[in-house]
Amino acid sequence: MKGILRFAALFAATAAIFCCGKPDNGDGGKTPTDPSLNQDLEFTLEVSETDATSAKIRVEHNGERSDTWYYFVTTDSNIDKAILDEVEKVMKEGDITLQKSTGKNVTVKDLEAKTTYTFVVFGLSSEGEVYGTPADIEFTTKADITDLTESDEWTLSYEGREDGKERFGVQCDENSIYLFDVVDAYYVSNDQGEVEYLDDYIIMTVEQIQTYLDNGATPAQLLEYGYLQTGPGILATDRMASGYYFLIAIGYDEDACPTGTYSVELIEIAAEEASAEYLQWLGTYTATGANGISYTLEVMDYDPNYMYAIAGWETGADLGADKNNDGKPDGLDFNTAFVDYIPIFPTYFSQGKMDFYEYILTQLEMDDAGTIADFGLYGWGVYNNDLTLLATGGGAVIATAETTDNGATGTITGGVLQTNNGSSIEVSALSYAAISQDGKNYWFWNDHMMLPITLTKQASAPAQQSINFPTTIKKEKFNESKQVRRALTQGTKMTF
C-alpha cells in the first residue's frame, strides 16, 4: 500500500511540473500554471572546456533577466525523469539556487573521470514549477592523467647501438597501445642526485599528448607519427650521450586516453672508447676569424666519439686590445658576465669533423619589462642584403670544423640553412647572442666572428675536468636590442 501511495504522489508531481498549457478554469482537473512564467523560454548550450573532474558550459536563453532557471548534470538517459527527480530533491531539501542571467558561463565540478554526462537546464520558479523548453547537452570528462600507477605491463630494455642508432626493446601484449619515452636521469634528479621529478615528468608527458588532442590531432595520427606505439618490438632513435636514462611506457586506449598505468626502467648507455679521429681535436687552439677577431679555445673531452665541450668563446685578455685603433677596447671578456660559471657549449663529432649546432646556454631577463631571451651560440647570415642573426630552434648545423693534419690546424666554415619560404642562407659568422622568446628582438655582446675561422693548436688536451654549464649571468653590458628580421624553420623534432 505504501508503494502505491508513493507512485500516486509521483504521478501528481509530474502533472504539476510539466503542465505547460493555459489554465482551463478548473475544467478537466488540470493544475493551474502561473501565468507570469515565460512558457516560450528556450536555451542555447555550448560546452567550452572539460577536464577530468569538471566542465564549463555556456548557457544563454531568449527570455528576460527575471526568468529564473536551474541546471544540473546527470548520467541518466531519461532526461524527463531526471528533471523530475532533481526538482523533487531540491524542493524537499529547501535549498535551491536559481539563476537569473540571460547568459552565463557555468562550471560543474566534482565529476568522475572518463564519464559521459548530460548537462540539463530548464526554467524553474521558486515554487518548483518547471516552465519553458528544457535543453540538454552531452559531454565526456577526460581521463585523470594525475592518477597513474606503476605496473609490469611493459618490459623495457636497452638493446645497444647499431649504425649510429640507439635501440630499445619493448615486450608487451600484442594489442597494447603506449607512449614510449627516454629521459636523462639527470633531468629528473635534484641537486643531491636523488631521483625526485620522474612522476612530474611522466604527468607532463601525458599532458602534452592531451594538448595535441585538444588542438585537433586524432588517435590515428598520434599512432601514425610515432607519438604512440602498438605492440612489442624494437624502437630506435638517434645516438644519445652516454649516461643513465629512464625508459618509460605509458598506457593508452584506442581513444588516446591514458589507461592509468605505466612502466619504468633505469638503463645505462656506456661511453665508447675514444677513437684517434675523436682524440685529434682535443687541446687548446687559437681561433681567428676572417675579420681578425681571435679567441683561445679549449676543446675538451665530454663523451668519446660523440661530443666535445668548448670553452673560451668571446673570452680572454685579447678582447681588451684596441687593434682597430678606435680608442676603445675591441670587446669585453665574456667570463665577466657569468657568476661562478665558465660559458661552455657542445660540439659534435662526425666522421672526423666537429659540427657546431645553434645552442642555448641559458635564459635571461633582458630589460625592466621582464623580456625573456634565449642566450647561446648563434649563426649570422645575409638576408635582404643585411647581415642578421639567424634562429633555427637549435635543430640545424650552423658550422663545421675540418682538419687535414690530424688536428694540428683546422678550418671552421658555415653551414647552409633553409628558410620558411624555401630559400637558403649561408652562415657567415658566429657569436654569442640572446634572442627574445617572441622572436622579435636580439642582443649581442661582442662583434661576431666572421667565417671561415682558422684553428691553430697551441697545446695537447689537458686532463679531463668537471664541466659546468652556465645558469646565472649578468646582463648590464649587453647592447641595446635589435630587430630580428626573419625566422628560419624550426629544427626537426626527434621522434621514435
Side-chain angles (χ1 to χ4, degrees):
M1 179 61 71
K2 289 182 180 179
I4 295 174
L5 289 175
R6 281 198 296 269
F7 181 83
L10 183 63
F11 179 83
T14 304
I17 293 172
F18 291 102
C19 179
C20 298
K22 295 181 180 180
D24 61 357
N25 298 320
D27 292 342
K30 292 184 179 179
T31 303
T33 301
D34 186 345
S36 67
L37 299 178
N38 181 7
Q39 300 299 338
D40 296 324
L41 188 67
E42 294 183 347
F43 294 87
T44 301
L45 304 178
E46 180 183 3
V47 178
S48 60
E49 184 180 335
T50 61
D51 59 26
T53 60
S54 66
K56 293 182 180 179
I57 295 92
R58 178 65 181 175
V59 181
E60 296 181 355
H61 67 69
N62 62 351
E64 303 295 332
R65 185 176 178 82
S66 58
D67 293 325
T68 55
W69 49 276
Y70 182 83
Y71 69 86
F72 70 102
V73 293
T74 182
T75 56
D76 196 332
S77 59
N78 188 334
I79 302 302
D80 289 344
K81 182 178 182 301
I83 293 174
L84 169 64
D85 293 342
E86 182 71 14
V87 173
E88 184 179 25
K89 181 186 73 172
V90 297
M91 295 306 295
K92 183 179 297 184
E93 293 173 350
D95 183 19
I96 183 170
T97 301
L98 297 177
Q99 309 297 321
K100 291 187 178 182
S101 60
T102 59
K104 184 175 183 177
N105 293 315
V106 172
T107 300
V108 288
K109 301 179 180 180
D110 300 325
L111 306 177
E112 296 293 330
K114 293 185 67 175
T115 304
T116 299
Y117 289 92
T118 301
F119 178 90
V120 184
V121 62
F122 51 91
L124 183 65
S125 70
S126 57
E127 287 74 29
E129 186 172 355
V130 174
Y131 63 96
T133 303
D136 61 81
I137 190 169
E138 190 175 85
F139 64 89
T140 301
T141 52
K142 297 176 181 177
D144 185 358
I145 61 177
T146 64
D147 186 16
L148 302 176
T149 303
E150 188 170 0
S151 76
D152 59 359
E153 293 175 54
W154 301 271
T155 301
L156 310 173
S157 60
Y158 176 57
E159 298 297 319
R161 183 176 297 138
E162 186 176 300
D163 298 327
K165 300 286 186 179
E166 310 294 357
R167 301 168 71 250
F168 305 98
V170 181
Q171 297 180 32
C172 61
D173 185 88
E174 288 287 342
N175 298 318
S176 176
I177 301 173
Y178 57 94
L179 178 150
F180 179 79
D181 198 7
V182 184
V183 60
D184 192 326
Y186 171 83
Y187 291 111
V188 294
S189 300
N190 58 26
D191 292 340
Q192 289 72 45
E194 303 165 331
V195 177
E196 183 176 348
Y197 309 112
L198 183 58
D199 290 348
D200 294 331
Y201 180 86
I202 292 172
I203 291 173
M204 179 187 70
T205 303
V206 176
E207 288 175 340
Q208 184 62 59
I209 293 296
Q210 186 59 53
T211 299
Y212 296 149
L213 293 169
D214 292 342
N215 290 332
T218 66
Q221 288 173 326
L222 294 179
L223 287 166
E224 178 184 357
Y225 292 108
Y227 291 96
L228 297 181
Q229 309 292 333
T230 305
I234 298 293
L235 303 174
T237 188
D238 291 340
R239 177 169 176 171
M240 302 169 67
S242 59
Y244 288 93
Y245 294 85
F246 283 103
L247 308 184
I248 304 168
I250 305 171
Y252 279 82
D253 61 22
E254 293 180 350
D255 297 321
C257 292
T259 59
T261 57
Y262 69 93
S263 296
V264 172
E265 185 70 31
L266 179 65
I267 60 102
E268 180 185 9
I269 298 179
E272 293 184 358
E273 183 177 349
S275 67
E277 285 186 314
Y278 175 83
L279 293 172
Q280 69 184 357
W281 286 108
L282 301 182
T284 304
Y285 286 88
T286 298
T288 305
N291 54 346
I293 294 176
S294 180
Y295 305 132
T296 299
L297 302 183
E298 296 287 346
V299 181
M300 297 176 285
D301 174 26
Y302 190 78
D303 195 354
N305 306 335
Y306 181 58
M307 187 165 61
Y308 304 95
I310 308 295
W313 202 273
E314 300 196 15
T315 67
D318 289 345
L319 291 167
D322 182 17
K323 295 181 180 179
N324 59 6
N325 298 314
D326 63 356
K328 58 183 180 180
D330 295 334
L332 294 168
D333 186 344
F334 210 86
N335 275 336
T336 64
F338 286 83
V339 180
D340 300 328
Y341 288 91
I342 296 174
I344 293 174
F345 62 84
T347 57
Y348 294 84
F349 176 74
S350 176
Q351 298 179 341
K353 306 174 185 179
M354 277 197 302
D355 286 333
F356 290 68
Y357 283 75
E358 176 185 295
Y359 184 77
I360 297 173
L361 280 81
T362 190
Q363 291 183 340
L364 308 177
E365 184 176 321
M366 297 306 303
D367 52 34
D368 293 338
T371 301
I372 302 299
D374 293 325
F375 166 76
L377 181 73
Y378 292 93
W380 295 69
V382 176
Y383 182 78
N384 289 341
N385 299 319
D386 288 324
L387 186 66
T388 188
L389 201 65
L390 308 178
T392 73
V397 176
I398 58 176
T400 298
E402 298 183 69
T403 181
T404 57
D405 51 13
N406 301 317
T409 61
T411 304
I412 304 176
T413 56
V416 178
L417 306 177
Q418 301 297 317
T419 66
N420 288 328
N421 61 14
S423 61
S424 299
I425 296 180
E426 183 177 353
V427 177
S428 52
L430 302 177
S431 83
Y432 280 145
I435 298 180
S436 60
Q437 292 189 329
D438 61 10
K440 295 181 179 180
N441 298 282
Y442 67 82
W443 298 257
F444 60 92
W445 183 283
N446 290 308
D447 289 340
H448 37 267
M449 181 179 279
M450 297 298 296
L451 297 166
I453 297 170
T454 59
L455 299 173
T456 304
K457 184 174 284 188
Q458 298 177 4
S460 305
Q464 190 170 15
Q465 56 188 286
S466 176
I467 298 172
N468 291 319
F469 288 86
T471 58
T472 307
I473 184 174
K474 301 175 184 177
K475 63 176 184 299
E476 289 81 2
K477 295 181 180 178
F478 272 95
N479 63 314
E480 294 299 319
S481 68
K482 298 180 180 295
Q483 197 73 19
V484 175
R485 297 179 179 85
R486 28 119 324 276
L488 294 179
T489 53
Q490 295 294 312
T492 303
K493 181 182 184 297
M494 182 174 65
T495 58
F496 293 97

